[in-house]
Amino acid sequence: MHELSIIIDLVALCEKNAKEQNAKEIESLEIKIGRLSGVEPHYLESAYEFYKKGTICENAKLIIHVQNIVVQCNNCGEKNELDKNEFLCPKCGSNKLDVIDGEDMYLMRLTMK
Ligand SMILES: [Zn+2]
């Protein structure tokens, strides 16, 4: 399961950070998931609930932000958020678009004590 391996990496990252900061516990972790990342927030949550037991994240709240796809048009320079997987510039109709956000998943914030 793809989502479980993400959680395993995420918890490892939390443990590393906590160790560096001498923290005993993670209170919350906030992550951003791009719509194009292929990560399902719902599956990610279940994987987290399953995996966090006994780890430093046992009592930590997982907060997920879903990032829409943001593209910049190579033709007219317009920046837009796409709500569908339709890669056309809403302004000029060009398909020469660069994805500038919404592709990755990353850790935004970690609170610990
Ligand atoms: Zn355009």
Side-chain angles (χ1 to χ4, degrees):
M1 191 166 126
H2 182 50
E3 279 77 9
L4 184 58
S5 62
I6 292 170
I7 290 296
I8 292 172
D9 285 351
L10 206 59
V11 171
L13 187 65
C14 289
E15 276 171 351
K16 184 176 168 281
N17 274 286
K19 209 173 168 183
E20 281 168 9
Q21 313 274 328
N22 278 320
K24 295 274 167 284
E25 206 181 321
I26 306 289
E27 286 181 308
S28 71
L29 57 160
E30 241 174 283
I31 57 171
K32 185 163 112 167
I33 299 175
R35 285 201 192 278
L36 280 179
S37 65
V39 180
E40 269 296 330
H42 176 72
Y43 288 135
L44 200 65
E45 268 172 0
S46 342
Y48 178 69
E49 290 305 313
F50 164 78
Y51 184 73
K52 71 175 184 181
K53 293 185 187 75
T55 73
I56 196 161
C57 293
E58 181 146 16
N59 299 311
K61 191 170 160 44
L62 177 69
I63 304 157
I64 298 175
H65 299 273
V66 177
Q67 171 65 50
N68 279 333
I69 305 160
V70 182
V71 292
Q72 182 156 29
C73 178
N74 273 324
N75 187 46
C76 68
E78 185 86 349
K79 248 187 232 177
N80 281 290
E81 251 188 34
L82 299 183
D83 46 6
K84 287 177 273 181
N85 281 1
E86 202 177 71
F87 281 82
L88 291 175
C89 174
K91 198 180 174 195
C92 71
S94 166
N95 62 0
K96 294 190 180 70
L97 304 176
D98 284 333
V99 178
I100 54 178
D101 207 349
E103 270 186 313
D104 324 300
M105 195 214 89
Y106 61 86
L107 185 62
M108 293 168 74
R109 195 177 347 191
L110 204 55
T111 57
M112 39 198 166
K113 56 183 176 191

